[in-house]
Amino acid sequence: MGTVSPGDRVRGLISGARNSVKIIAPFIKVGALGTILEAVPTTVPVRCVTRWLPKEVASGISDIETLDLLEKRGNAHLSLVDNLHAKLYIADSDCLAGSANVTHSGFGDSPDSNIEVLIATTLEDQGVAATLADIDRHERPATRELADQLRAVVDYLGQAAHTTSLQATWFPRSRKPEPAFRRYEELYSTSLPDDLTTAERLVVEDIASMNLAPGLAGQEFHAAVRDRLQQIEPGGAFLARTGDSLLTFKDTYPFLSGLDAKGYSEQDLWRAFIEWMAYFYPDRVMKQSIIEIALRRAQHIH
């Protein structure tokens, strides 16, 4: 007996839907989504949830055009959850949960398909119910405006791909983070000024390298940058400390020396890191000059 592919299982499930279909996955390609929509009865509404992050779209593992396809189909809705990782396929109260994204390789429809798993369950499963509740709390509509904003930064990433300026893993290089949100808005709306200085363009490249979702408001942007800084090894470890302590260049040198940042010395990177940490974590750290510039983690900062 031949093995049934994940895609065939998904299409088989949703072809029997009578009231609703939900397609939830971080990576969705137009071709694979089309095979699902063809299996859904035309009278059944479709709710699709995914995430749009610039580097994922630029690398081709997810498509903005899913919005076009769903609008053309009608009776369908697309929403975004920026930190989505769950993969769920739901027809009425029946569900498949597992690892397969809505791609030809995830569905087993290509020669180089992934090894995936899908488990049959229902909406009564506590894990499924909790995941859907989290999605409901965090999702936002995928609008035409957000699609255009995402295309703008994807185009920028494509134009900069031949340079070494955009790191695969984000680490700040500019020393002036103050205009970061303004540059984010300009970059994601194709309104970047033509006369940016070298220092100003460096902030733009820092923003592009963060892989941020489009359409963030000021507080959301601030929280996202804080999250990126916390993901940097010395940043996360330093923020986790309790009481008063210092972080010096000597402490971070082993980490900094391992970064691929051509044209920037370890001292350059350290000074940039200091500025971004102090600006985005004023409640928890501060710059302090003794013999050298360091970060101070104080128990109480006023």
Side-chain angles (χ1 to χ4, degrees), residues 243-244 283 286 296-302:
D244 292 352
D283 55 327
M286 64 177 70
R296 180 185 176 202
R297 171 71 171 91
Q299 190 167 4
H300 297 289
I301 296 178
H302 300 286

Side-chain angles (χ1 to χ4, degrees), residues 52 64 67-68 142-152 214:
W52 281 352
I64 311 173
L67 178 61
D68 303 324
T143 64
R144 184 62 53 190
E145 180 182 8
L146 290 180
D148 292 341
Q149 290 179 12
L150 183 59
R151 285 191 179 92

Side-chain angles (χ1 to χ4, degrees), residues 5 103-115:
S5 71
T103 65
H104 286 314
S105 58
F107 276 6
D109 295 336
S110 65
D112 57 345
S113 294
N114 302 330
I115 298 174

Side-chain angles (χ1 to χ4, degrees), residues 101-200:
N101 280 292
V102 186
T103 65
H104 286 314
S105 58
F107 276 6
D109 295 336
S110 65
D112 57 345
S113 294
N114 302 330
I115 298 174
E116 307 284 6
V117 61
L118 288 173
I119 304 297
T121 183
T122 71
L123 296 184
E124 296 179 358
D125 180 273
Q126 291 184 351
V128 172
T131 298
L132 292 175
D134 279 342
I135 289 172
D136 288 342
R137 284 192 294 270
H138 294 98
E139 69 179 333
R140 54 192 173 130
T143 64
R144 184 62 53 190
E145 180 182 8
L146 290 180
D148 292 341
Q149 290 179 12
L150 183 59
R151 285 191 179 92
V153 73
V154 168
D155 288 345
Y156 183 89
L157 288 169
Q159 293 165 11
H162 65 284
T163 73
T164 58
S165 59
L166 300 180
Q167 308 113 297
T169 301
W170 182 72
F171 191 94
R173 293 170 303 125
S174 62
R175 296 187 188 180
K176 296 185 179 296
E178 296 83 2
F181 180 61
R182 184 171 77 252
R183 297 306 179 207
Y184 163 82
E185 290 185 307
E186 292 169 346
L187 173 63
Y188 279 63
S189 62
T190 65
S191 60
L192 276 174
D194 295 328
D195 58 348
L196 292 178
T197 66
T198 300
E200 289 169 336

Side-chain angles (χ1 to χ4, degrees), residues 206-236:
D206 271 332
I207 299 303
S209 295
M210 284 187 207
N211 199 32
L212 298 174
L216 299 179
Q219 289 185 343
E220 294 171 320
F221 173 82
H222 193 88
V225 177
R226 283 169 66 105
D227 178 68
R228 297 299 191 276
L229 288 167
Q230 194 165 6
Q231 290 177 27
I232 296 172
E233 183 180 319

Side-chain angles (χ1 to χ4, degrees), residues 13 37 66 68 83-84 112 143 164 172:
L13 172 72
L37 296 180
T66 52
D68 303 324
N83 62 345
L84 181 68
D112 57 345
T143 64
T164 58

